[in-house]
Amino acid sequence: KRLLKEKQGLGSQIVYVGRRKDADEIAFTLDHEGFGAVAYHAGLHARQRHLSQESWLSGKKPIAVATVAFGMGIDKADVRAVIHYQHPSSLESYYQEAGRAGRDGKPADCIVLFSTKDSALAQYFLRNRYPSAEQVRAVLQDVSPEGTHLEALKTLGGGDLTPEQVNVALFALKEQDLVWETPEGQLQRKKVDPYRVRLDLNNLFARKNADYRRLDAIIQYCQDS
């Protein structure tokens, strides 16, 4: 709040958070205390996201408390501070998001608030992004050769898989032409025994390992700074 007070009246600020809940709560608190803040994340209705973005772009609400998707395609010159409430998932993300500050050439601050609790949260997000080999097979089993709607897969295993795990599993299966999408928008699978077919998940696990390495790098950067 101290930094935000220092920047009041000088331009706009972005506070990046990892969770939609944090965006809502922090934006509400800041706005209630007179800072002028809006929340922005994918959980908002499209109209509310548009209103939040316009309020921030116009300067009516100078602070955007947002998840990482915010700012893509937006070139606002007077951003005086980019604050990461939790550390980013990678150095690449940090460079990209921090680069939204000071595009007018005037001084700007880029700050990461770091705690081991946030690192645990980032690792939790990664665990809930990538399915195991057994879970990939379960997704393959759940796709019918006759066609299955994507929405039906959300109840897979009693809801044990996150939507992101299902999407990652489907991507891996599509890479091997075991699953494809029909022109009608349904998913179909090859007529094979899901528990006998050979799965090549090298690409999936390579992406997973790369994400963990990127996470380790940003944690090391924060600890060393």
Side-chain angles (χ1 to χ4, degrees):
K1 290 183 183 178
R2 176 187 58 79
L3 178 62
L4 293 174
K5 283 183 179 179
E6 291 175 359
K7 301 297 181 181
Q8 278 186 314
L10 299 178
S12 300
Q13 299 89 44
I14 304 173
V15 179
Y16 280 114
V17 297
R19 300 179 297 185
R20 299 172 184 178
K21 175 184 176 183
D22 291 334
D24 291 333
E25 291 179 355
I26 293 171
F28 176 82
T29 299
L30 290 175
D31 200 51
H32 182 70
E33 294 182 7
F35 284 92
V38 294
Y40 187 99
H41 56 74
L44 299 173
H45 292 298
R47 174 168 171 75
Q48 183 57 57
R49 285 199 305 275
H50 175 74
L51 290 174
S52 292
Q53 181 172 297
E54 289 304 308
S55 293
W56 182 75
L57 286 171
S58 68
K60 181 180 178 182
K61 300 284 186 177
I63 302 171
V65 186
T67 50
V68 295
F70 182 76
M72 298 296 289
I74 296 175
D75 188 9
K76 196 170 194 294
D78 70 339
V79 176
R80 298 272 68 84
V82 171
I83 302 172
H84 285 85
Y85 186 73
Q86 294 105 0
H87 67 74
S89 60
S90 69
L91 285 169
E92 294 86 351
S93 295
Y94 176 60
Y95 295 151
Q96 182 183 61
E97 291 150 14
R100 292 172 185 144
R103 292 187 176 180
D104 55 5
K106 296 179 181 179
D109 292 291
C110 301
I111 294 176
V112 178
L113 304 180
F114 175 76
S115 78
T116 54
K117 181 180 70 173
D118 294 334
S119 298
L121 177 64
Q123 290 165 345
Y124 170 81
F125 284 150
L126 276 185
R127 286 196 300 273
N128 282 273
R129 178 181 304 164
Y130 290 100
S132 66
E134 293 77 14
Q135 289 171 325
V136 175
R137 287 191 186 276
V139 172
L140 180 61
Q141 169 69 33
D142 223 50
V143 177
S144 168
E146 283 71 44
T148 302
H149 285 289
L150 176 59
E151 290 298 314
L153 296 180
K154 291 184 178 178
T155 58
L156 176 69
D160 287 341
L161 272 71
T162 66
E164 195 165 10
Q165 284 174 322
V166 173
N167 287 334
V168 170
L170 287 173
F171 184 82
L173 294 169
K174 288 176 180 178
E175 282 185 320
Q176 299 172 69
D177 295 322
L178 291 170
V179 168
W180 57 89
E181 191 168 338
T182 69
E184 295 76 29
Q186 284 196 323
L187 297 165
Q188 284 185 297
R189 71 167 165 86
K190 196 173 183 179
K191 293 182 179 180
V192 295
D193 183 342
Y195 291 95
R196 289 182 179 273
V197 67
R198 179 182 177 276
L199 292 180
D200 180 359
L201 301 179
N202 288 334
N203 288 343
L204 185 153
F205 292 131
R207 289 191 291 269
K208 177 181 178 180
N209 291 335
D211 277 352
Y212 272 102
R213 286 195 299 272
R214 283 191 283 267
L215 178 59
D216 289 342
I218 187 67
I219 291 172
Q220 190 64 52
Y221 173 80
C222 291
Q223 290 173 335
D224 291 344
S225 297

